[in-house]
Amino acid sequence: MLTQLHQNMTMRCHNRDLCLIAPEKTVGMTMAKKFSESYHRLSNLMVGAKVAIALRTVTGLGIADELADGPKTATQLAEKLGLSEDPLRRVLRALTQFGVFTETTEGEFQNSELSEYLREDSDPSLRNSILFLNDDVSLQSWLRLGDTLKDGQSRFQEVNGGPLFSLFGTNKPLGDHFAKCMRELYGTEAGKIAQGFDFKSFGNVIDVGGVQGHVLAAILLKNPDLTGTLFDIKPTAELAREFLASIGLAERTDVVGGDFFENVPGGFDAYLVKSVIHDWNDQKAIEILQQCKRAMADDSRLLIVEEVVVPGQSVGNPNRLVDLDLMIHLGGKERTEEEYRALLAEGGLTVEDMVPIADSFFSVIVCSR
Protein backbone atom coordinates (compact mmCIF):
# COMPACT_ATOMS: atom_id res chain seq x y z
CA MET A 1 0.00 0.00 0.00
CA LEU A 2 2.75 2.46 0.96
CA THR A 3 4.71 1.54 -2.18
CA GLN A 4 1.70 2.31 -4.39
CA LEU A 5 1.10 5.58 -2.53
CA HIS A 6 4.73 6.57 -3.05
CA GLN A 7 4.49 5.81 -6.77
CA ASN A 8 1.31 7.85 -7.11
CA MET A 9 2.85 10.81 -5.30
CA THR A 10 5.98 10.65 -7.44
CA MET A 11 3.90 10.70 -10.63
CA ARG A 12 1.99 13.75 -9.41
CA CYS A 13 5.11 15.62 -8.26
CA HIS A 14 6.23 18.36 -10.63
CA ASN A 15 9.04 19.67 -8.42
CA ARG A 16 11.98 17.31 -8.27
CA ASP A 17 13.14 18.80 -4.96
CA LEU A 18 9.80 18.03 -3.33
CA CYS A 19 9.90 14.42 -4.52
CA LEU A 20 12.82 13.83 -2.19
CA ILE A 21 10.45 13.96 0.78
CA ALA A 22 9.40 10.58 2.13
CA PRO A 23 5.55 10.15 1.97
CA GLU A 24 5.23 9.70 5.70
CA LYS A 25 7.00 13.07 6.31
CA THR A 26 4.91 15.06 3.84
CA VAL A 27 2.33 17.16 5.64
CA GLY A 28 0.78 19.38 2.99
CA MET A 29 2.38 21.97 0.73
CA THR A 30 3.49 24.19 3.64
CA MET A 31 5.99 21.61 4.85
CA ALA A 32 7.06 20.93 1.27
CA LYS A 33 7.67 24.62 0.69
CA LYS A 34 9.78 24.89 3.85
CA PHE A 35 11.78 21.87 2.76
CA SER A 36 12.37 23.39 -0.67
CA GLU A 37 13.52 26.74 0.72
CA SER A 38 15.91 25.05 3.15
CA TYR A 39 17.19 22.75 0.45
CA HIS A 40 18.02 25.63 -1.87
CA ARG A 41 19.54 27.69 0.91
CA LEU A 42 21.86 24.82 1.78
CA SER A 43 22.72 24.29 -1.88
CA ASN A 44 23.83 27.95 -2.04
CA LEU A 45 25.96 27.51 1.07
CA MET A 46 27.42 24.35 -0.45
CA VAL A 47 29.05 26.34 -3.26
CA GLY A 48 30.03 29.28 -1.05
CA ALA A 49 33.78 28.70 -1.47
CA LYS A 50 33.42 28.79 -5.25
CA VAL A 51 31.35 31.96 -5.08
CA ALA A 52 34.05 33.58 -2.92
CA ILE A 53 36.77 32.65 -5.41
CA ALA A 54 34.73 33.98 -8.34
CA LEU A 55 34.07 37.16 -6.35
CA ARG A 56 37.77 37.57 -5.58
CA THR A 57 38.63 37.11 -9.24
CA VAL A 58 36.20 39.67 -10.67
CA THR A 59 37.11 42.09 -7.87
CA GLY A 60 40.81 41.81 -8.67
CA LEU A 61 40.05 42.39 -12.35
CA GLY A 62 38.11 45.56 -11.52
CA ILE A 63 34.92 44.46 -13.30
CA ALA A 64 32.69 46.60 -11.10
CA ASP A 65 34.89 49.63 -11.82
CA GLU A 66 34.58 48.95 -15.56
CA LEU A 67 30.78 48.92 -15.20
CA ALA A 68 30.68 52.16 -13.20
CA ASP A 69 29.65 54.21 -16.24
CA GLY A 70 26.99 51.79 -17.48
CA PRO A 71 26.22 48.30 -18.82
CA LYS A 72 28.68 46.42 -21.02
CA THR A 73 28.65 43.11 -22.81
CA ALA A 74 31.07 40.34 -21.95
CA THR A 75 32.64 40.99 -25.38
CA GLN A 76 33.36 44.62 -24.50
CA LEU A 77 34.73 43.73 -21.08
CA ALA A 78 36.90 40.94 -22.45
CA GLU A 79 38.37 43.21 -25.13
CA LYS A 80 39.10 45.96 -22.60
CA LEU A 81 40.71 43.66 -20.02
CA GLY A 82 42.38 41.16 -22.32
CA LEU A 83 40.26 38.22 -21.19
CA SER A 84 38.58 35.26 -22.86
CA GLU A 85 35.00 36.23 -23.64
CA ASP A 86 33.09 32.98 -23.04
CA PRO A 87 34.53 32.13 -19.58
CA LEU A 88 34.04 35.75 -18.48
CA ARG A 89 30.39 35.73 -19.57
CA ARG A 90 29.76 32.50 -17.69
CA VAL A 91 31.41 33.75 -14.49
CA LEU A 92 29.42 37.00 -14.55
CA ARG A 93 26.23 35.12 -15.36
CA ALA A 94 26.81 32.75 -12.43
CA LEU A 95 27.38 35.66 -10.04
CA THR A 96 24.08 37.26 -11.06
CA GLN A 97 22.39 34.28 -9.35
CA PHE A 98 23.73 35.62 -6.06
CA GLY A 99 22.82 39.24 -6.76
CA VAL A 100 26.33 40.27 -7.79
CA PHE A 101 25.82 42.11 -11.12
CA THR A 102 22.66 41.92 -13.20
CA GLU A 103 22.21 40.80 -16.81
CA THR A 104 19.86 42.54 -19.24
CA THR A 105 17.78 40.75 -21.88
CA GLU A 106 20.23 42.17 -24.44
CA GLY A 107 23.07 40.28 -22.77
CA GLU A 108 24.72 43.28 -21.11
CA PHE A 109 26.01 43.16 -17.56
CA GLN A 110 25.67 46.01 -15.10
CA ASN A 111 26.39 46.69 -11.46
CA SER A 112 23.85 45.69 -8.84
CA GLU A 113 23.47 47.18 -5.37
CA LEU A 114 25.91 44.50 -4.19
CA SER A 115 28.59 44.92 -6.84
CA GLU A 116 28.70 48.70 -6.27
CA TYR A 117 30.61 47.83 -3.08
CA LEU A 118 33.29 46.10 -5.17
CA ARG A 119 34.32 49.39 -6.72
CA GLU A 120 37.59 50.88 -5.57
CA ASP A 121 36.04 54.34 -5.26
CA SER A 122 33.00 53.16 -3.30
CA ASP A 123 32.67 54.48 0.23
CA PRO A 124 32.21 52.18 2.02
CA SER A 125 33.82 49.44 -0.06
CA LEU A 126 34.50 45.75 0.49
CA ARG A 127 37.05 45.44 -2.30
CA ASN A 128 40.15 44.92 -0.16
CA SER A 129 38.30 42.74 2.34
CA ILE A 130 37.33 40.36 -0.47
CA LEU A 131 40.89 40.32 -1.83
CA PHE A 132 42.50 39.77 1.58
CA LEU A 133 40.09 37.29 3.16
CA ASN A 134 40.06 35.17 -0.01
CA ASP A 135 43.76 35.38 -0.79
CA ASP A 136 45.55 32.08 -1.41
CA VAL A 137 47.39 32.38 1.93
CA SER A 138 44.00 32.30 3.65
CA LEU A 139 42.24 29.74 1.49
CA GLN A 140 45.08 27.22 1.69
CA SER A 141 45.02 27.53 5.48
CA TRP A 142 41.25 27.07 5.60
CA LEU A 143 41.66 23.77 3.78
CA ARG A 144 43.41 22.52 6.92
CA LEU A 145 40.43 23.29 9.16
CA GLY A 146 39.94 19.60 9.90
CA ASP A 147 43.45 19.39 11.38
CA THR A 148 42.78 22.48 13.51
CA LEU A 149 39.61 20.88 14.85
CA LYS A 150 41.63 17.87 15.97
CA ASP A 151 44.35 19.65 17.94
CA GLY A 152 43.36 23.32 18.10
CA GLN A 153 46.48 24.49 16.25
CA SER A 154 46.53 26.86 13.28
CA ARG A 155 48.23 25.49 10.17
CA PHE A 156 48.89 28.94 8.66
CA GLN A 157 52.66 28.97 9.21
CA GLU A 158 53.02 25.38 8.06
CA VAL A 159 51.15 26.13 4.83
CA ASN A 160 52.62 29.57 4.10
CA GLY A 161 56.14 29.30 5.50
CA GLY A 162 55.75 31.96 8.18
CA PRO A 163 53.28 33.94 10.31
CA LEU A 164 50.78 36.24 8.61
CA PHE A 165 52.24 39.58 9.64
CA SER A 166 55.76 38.60 8.54
CA LEU A 167 54.43 38.07 5.00
CA PHE A 168 53.54 41.74 4.65
CA GLY A 169 57.22 42.66 4.32
CA THR A 170 57.67 40.46 1.23
CA ASN A 171 54.13 40.60 -0.17
CA LYS A 172 53.24 44.29 -0.35
CA PRO A 173 49.82 43.81 -2.04
CA LEU A 174 48.80 41.42 0.76
CA GLY A 175 49.83 43.98 3.40
CA ASP A 176 48.02 46.77 1.56
CA HIS A 177 44.85 44.72 1.27
CA PHE A 178 45.03 43.82 4.96
CA ALA A 179 45.41 47.42 6.11
CA LYS A 180 42.54 48.58 3.91
CA CYS A 181 40.46 45.53 4.86
CA MET A 182 40.65 46.59 8.51
CA ARG A 183 39.34 50.00 7.55
CA GLU A 184 36.56 48.52 5.42
CA LEU A 185 35.36 46.05 8.06
CA TYR A 186 35.73 48.33 11.07
CA GLY A 187 35.89 51.81 9.57
CA THR A 188 32.25 52.59 10.31
CA GLU A 189 32.96 51.77 13.97
CA ALA A 190 35.74 54.36 14.32
CA GLY A 191 33.38 57.30 14.64
CA LYS A 192 31.22 55.38 17.10
CA ILE A 193 34.26 54.69 19.29
CA ALA A 194 35.36 58.34 19.15
CA GLN A 195 31.83 59.44 20.05
CA GLY A 196 31.02 56.71 22.56
CA PHE A 197 34.08 56.92 24.83
CA ASP A 198 35.32 60.01 26.67
CA PHE A 199 38.92 60.78 25.66
CA LYS A 200 38.89 64.32 27.08
CA SER A 201 40.83 63.37 30.21
CA PHE A 202 43.88 62.41 28.12
CA GLY A 203 46.46 64.71 26.58
CA ASN A 204 47.95 62.15 24.25
CA VAL A 205 47.19 58.63 23.05
CA ILE A 206 49.18 55.91 21.32
CA ASP A 207 47.34 53.50 19.06
CA VAL A 208 49.22 50.21 19.50
CA GLY A 209 48.85 48.07 16.38
CA GLY A 210 46.69 50.76 14.80
CA VAL A 211 47.20 49.57 11.20
CA GLN A 212 46.24 52.40 8.80
CA GLY A 213 45.15 54.77 11.59
CA HIS A 214 41.46 55.27 10.86
CA VAL A 215 40.42 54.81 14.51
CA LEU A 216 43.13 57.15 15.79
CA ALA A 217 42.09 59.68 13.14
CA ALA A 218 38.44 59.58 14.24
CA ILE A 219 39.45 60.09 17.87
CA LEU A 220 41.72 63.04 17.05
CA LEU A 221 39.12 64.69 14.85
CA LYS A 222 36.57 64.39 17.65
CA ASN A 223 39.06 65.69 20.26
CA PRO A 224 41.00 68.64 18.78
CA ASP A 225 43.20 69.11 21.89
CA LEU A 226 44.46 65.52 21.75
CA THR A 227 47.67 64.42 20.02
CA GLY A 228 48.32 60.88 18.85
CA THR A 229 50.95 58.36 17.89
CA LEU A 230 50.43 55.28 15.78
CA PHE A 231 52.62 52.25 16.48
CA ASP A 232 52.74 49.29 14.10
CA ILE A 233 55.17 47.18 12.09
CA LYS A 234 57.22 49.23 9.62
CA PRO A 235 55.46 48.32 6.34
CA THR A 236 52.07 49.14 7.86
CA ALA A 237 53.40 52.26 9.57
CA GLU A 238 54.30 53.70 6.16
CA LEU A 239 50.70 53.27 5.02
CA ALA A 240 49.50 54.95 8.21
CA ARG A 241 51.83 57.90 7.71
CA GLU A 242 50.42 58.44 4.20
CA PHE A 243 46.81 58.07 5.36
CA LEU A 244 47.09 60.43 8.35
CA ALA A 245 48.84 63.05 6.22
CA SER A 246 46.17 62.73 3.53
CA ILE A 247 43.43 63.79 5.97
CA GLY A 248 45.38 66.69 7.44
CA LEU A 249 46.56 65.11 10.70
CA ALA A 250 50.31 65.02 10.03
CA GLU A 251 51.04 67.83 12.53
CA ARG A 252 49.05 66.21 15.35
CA THR A 253 50.34 62.68 14.86
CA ASP A 254 53.56 60.72 14.96
CA VAL A 255 54.05 57.29 13.40
CA VAL A 256 56.50 54.80 14.88
CA GLY A 257 57.46 51.46 13.37
CA GLY A 258 58.15 48.57 15.71
CA ASP A 259 57.08 45.25 17.19
CA PHE A 260 54.77 45.22 20.21
CA PHE A 261 56.18 41.84 21.26
CA GLU A 262 59.57 43.51 21.77
CA ASN A 263 58.60 46.87 23.23
CA VAL A 264 55.90 49.54 23.30
CA PRO A 265 56.88 53.23 23.46
CA GLY A 266 56.38 54.95 26.83
CA GLY A 267 55.20 58.40 27.87
CA PHE A 268 51.52 58.31 26.94
CA ASP A 269 48.34 58.97 28.91
CA ALA A 270 46.31 56.37 27.04
CA TYR A 271 47.36 53.16 25.33
CA LEU A 272 44.70 52.23 22.78
CA VAL A 273 44.79 48.59 21.70
CA LYS A 274 41.98 47.96 19.24
CA SER A 275 41.30 44.64 17.50
CA VAL A 276 44.75 43.39 18.47
CA ILE A 277 44.31 41.12 21.48
CA HIS A 278 41.80 38.97 19.59
CA ASP A 279 44.51 38.18 17.01
CA TRP A 280 46.49 36.06 19.47
CA ASN A 281 46.25 33.05 21.72
CA ASP A 282 46.31 33.65 25.47
CA GLN A 283 50.09 33.35 25.83
CA LYS A 284 50.85 35.84 23.05
CA ALA A 285 48.07 38.18 24.18
CA ILE A 286 49.57 38.28 27.68
CA GLU A 287 52.97 39.16 26.21
CA ILE A 288 51.42 42.18 24.46
CA LEU A 289 49.59 43.24 27.61
CA GLN A 290 52.76 43.02 29.66
CA GLN A 291 54.68 45.14 27.12
CA CYS A 292 51.94 47.77 27.42
CA LYS A 293 52.09 47.58 31.21
CA ARG A 294 55.87 48.15 31.18
CA ALA A 295 55.38 51.27 29.03
CA MET A 296 52.55 52.72 31.14
CA ALA A 297 52.95 55.22 33.96
CA ASP A 298 50.92 54.81 37.15
CA ASP A 299 48.31 57.27 35.89
CA SER A 300 48.20 55.88 32.34
CA ARG A 301 45.25 53.83 31.16
CA LEU A 302 45.12 50.87 28.80
CA LEU A 303 42.05 50.98 26.56
CA ILE A 304 41.34 47.63 24.95
CA VAL A 305 38.72 47.87 22.21
CA GLU A 306 37.28 44.50 21.25
CA GLU A 307 34.04 42.66 20.73
CA VAL A 308 33.09 41.14 24.07
CA VAL A 309 31.19 37.99 23.15
CA VAL A 310 27.82 37.40 24.77
CA PRO A 311 26.81 33.73 24.24
CA GLY A 312 23.68 33.39 22.11
CA GLN A 313 23.75 37.03 21.01
CA SER A 314 24.03 37.78 17.29
CA VAL A 315 26.28 40.72 16.44
CA GLY A 316 24.77 41.41 13.02
CA ASN A 317 28.09 41.43 11.17
CA PRO A 318 30.61 38.90 9.81
CA ASN A 319 32.43 38.65 13.15
CA ARG A 320 31.41 35.06 13.83
CA LEU A 321 33.29 34.05 10.68
CA VAL A 322 36.03 36.60 11.39
CA ASP A 323 36.47 34.70 14.66
CA LEU A 324 37.23 31.62 12.57
CA ASP A 325 39.67 33.61 10.42
CA LEU A 326 41.45 34.58 13.63
CA MET A 327 41.67 30.91 14.56
CA ILE A 328 42.88 29.86 11.11
CA HIS A 329 45.29 32.75 10.42
CA LEU A 330 46.74 33.46 13.84
CA GLY A 331 45.42 31.07 16.46
CA GLY A 332 43.48 33.99 17.98
CA LYS A 333 39.88 34.28 19.14
CA GLU A 334 37.04 36.54 20.20
CA ARG A 335 36.53 36.35 23.98
CA THR A 336 33.76 36.68 26.56
CA GLU A 337 33.88 39.14 29.47
CA GLU A 338 34.99 36.36 31.81
CA GLU A 339 37.79 35.37 29.44
CA TYR A 340 39.01 38.97 29.16
CA ARG A 341 38.98 39.47 32.92
CA ALA A 342 41.00 36.28 33.44
CA LEU A 343 43.45 37.23 30.67
CA LEU A 344 44.02 40.74 32.02
CA ALA A 345 44.47 39.48 35.58
CA GLU A 346 47.13 37.08 34.34
CA GLY A 347 48.80 39.98 32.54
CA GLY A 348 48.96 41.91 35.83
CA LEU A 349 46.38 44.54 34.88
CA THR A 350 43.30 45.73 36.77
CA VAL A 351 39.98 46.13 34.96
CA GLU A 352 38.42 49.43 36.03
CA ASP A 353 35.47 49.54 33.66
CA MET A 354 33.86 47.98 30.59
CA VAL A 355 32.15 50.56 28.40
CA PRO A 356 29.87 49.26 25.62
CA ILE A 357 29.95 51.54 22.58
CA ALA A 358 26.47 52.63 21.54
CA ASP A 359 25.17 51.09 18.30
CA SER A 360 28.36 49.01 17.97
CA PHE A 361 29.56 45.49 18.70
CA PHE A 362 32.69 46.94 20.38
CA SER A 363 33.35 47.69 24.04
CA VAL A 364 36.21 49.60 25.66
CA ILE A 365 37.86 47.71 28.51
CA VAL A 366 39.59 50.29 30.73
CA CYS A 367 42.62 48.97 32.63
CA SER A 368 45.27 50.32 34.98
CA ARG A 369 48.63 48.94 36.12
Side-chain angles (χ1 to χ4, degrees):
M1 185 67 177
L2 285 175
T3 300
Q4 183 61 47
L5 176 62
H6 188 199
Q7 289 175 345
N8 292 341
M9 289 184 67
T10 301
M11 291 176 63
R12 293 197 302 270
C13 183
H14 300 291
N15 184 329
R16 188 173 183 274
D17 294 339
L18 304 188
C19 292
L20 297 174
I21 307 175
E24 61 270 25
K25 294 184 180 178
T26 305
V27 186
M29 289 304 294
T30 301
M31 288 297 294
K33 181 179 179 182
K34 288 182 179 178
F35 173 85
S36 181
E37 290 173 353
S38 299
Y39 178 91
H40 287 297
R41 183 181 176 194
L42 182 60
S43 70
N44 283 336
L45 291 173
M46 175 179 69
V47 296
K50 299 175 179 66
V51 175
I53 291 171
L55 198 57
R56 179 190 79 172
T57 302
V58 299
T59 301
L61 290 169
I63 299 292
D65 299 285
E66 293 295 331
L67 296 176
D69 58 355
K72 291 182 175 62
T73 65
T75 303
Q76 292 171 315
L77 290 168
E79 288 177 354
K80 175 71 180 295
L81 299 171
L83 303 172
S84 180
E85 176 185 338
D86 184 59
L88 176 61
R89 178 184 293 107
R90 291 160 68 183
V91 169
L92 296 178
R93 187 172 61 203
L95 285 173
T96 64
Q97 178 180 338
F98 298 92
V100 183
F101 308 115
T102 61
E103 184 180 13
T104 68
T105 54
E106 290 78 26
E108 292 183 314
F109 292 94
Q110 57 191 10
N111 278 333
S112 65
E113 291 184 4
L114 271 66
S115 62
E116 286 290 344
Y117 293 109
L118 302 182
R119 290 172 50 184
E120 191 163 12
D121 61 355
S122 176
D123 186 17
S125 172
L126 283 172
R127 179 180 186 276
N128 290 280
S129 300
I130 289 167
L131 294 175
F132 173 71
L133 292 173
N134 296 299
D135 190 274
D136 285 351
V137 300
S138 177
L139 297 181
Q140 292 298 324
S141 304
W142 265 90
L143 290 175
R144 300 291 297 276
L145 176 60
D147 294 327
T148 298
L149 289 176
K150 291 176 183 176
D151 60 15
Q153 301 301 310
S154 166
R155 294 304 192 279
F156 187 94
Q157 294 192 47
E158 179 182 330
V159 170
N160 294 294
L164 174 63
F165 295 126
S166 71
L167 300 183
F168 297 161
T170 55
N171 188 337
K172 189 176 185 302
L174 182 68
D176 289 352
H177 292 323
F178 171 77
K180 293 173 182 177
C181 168
M182 293 299 99
R183 185 184 180 194
E184 289 173 0
L185 290 180
Y186 300 126
T188 56
E189 304 301 310
K192 297 175 186 177
I193 294 166
Q195 178 72 32
F197 186 82
D198 186 5
F199 290 89
K200 292 185 176 63
S201 61
F202 305 117
N204 54 42
V205 59
I206 181 169
D207 190 352
V208 179
V211 197
Q212 195 175 4
H214 62 281
V215 176
L216 178 62
I219 293 169
L220 294 179
L221 292 172
K222 175 66 178 175
N223 298 273
D225 295 329
L226 191 64
T227 60
T229 295
L230 187 134
F231 180 68
D232 213 316
I233 57 175
K234 291 181 180 179
T236 304
E238 290 305 314
L239 289 173
R241 185 174 284 108
E242 294 172 8
F243 170 70
L244 292 168
S246 72
I247 58 174
L249 287 173
E251 293 185 3
R252 290 177 58 199
T253 57
D254 189 18
V255 177
V256 179
D259 185 343
F260 49 50
F261 285 112
E262 296 178 359
N263 75 285
V264 172
F268 295 91
D269 300 332
Y271 288 75
L272 180 70
V273 184
K274 180 197 168 291
S275 299
V276 170
I277 301 302
H278 75 172
D279 285 344
W280 306 98
N281 62 28
D282 287 355
Q283 179 184 345
K284 288 290 187 182
I286 289 168
E287 290 179 25
I288 299 168
L289 294 171
Q290 289 176 337
Q291 289 291 355
C292 291
K293 181 181 178 180
R294 291 187 187 102
M296 293 166 62
D298 289 341
D299 58 351
S300 299
R301 292 296 178 268
L302 175 63
L303 309 176
I304 298 173
V305 183
E306 294 282 5
E307 177 195 349
V308 178
V309 174
V310 178
Q313 183 182 87
S314 173
V315 292
N317 63 58
N319 267 32
R320 290 296 176 260
L321 280 174
V322 170
D323 183 31
L324 298 188
D325 271 313
L326 295 172
M327 177 177 73
I328 295 293
H329 292 166
L330 299 161
K333 63 184 294 189
E334 304 289 6
R335 294 175 171 89
T336 64
E337 178 178 343
E338 292 75 15
E339 288 173 321
Y340 270 115
R341 286 187 180 277
L343 189 73
L344 289 159
E346 194 167 348
L349 292 153
T350 300
V351 176
E352 294 187 344
D353 200 3
M354 286 201 177
V355 182
I357 299 299
D359 194 31
S360 172
F361 51 86
F362 282 119
S363 293
V364 179
I365 307 172
V366 184
C367 307
S368 58
R369 286 172 54 91

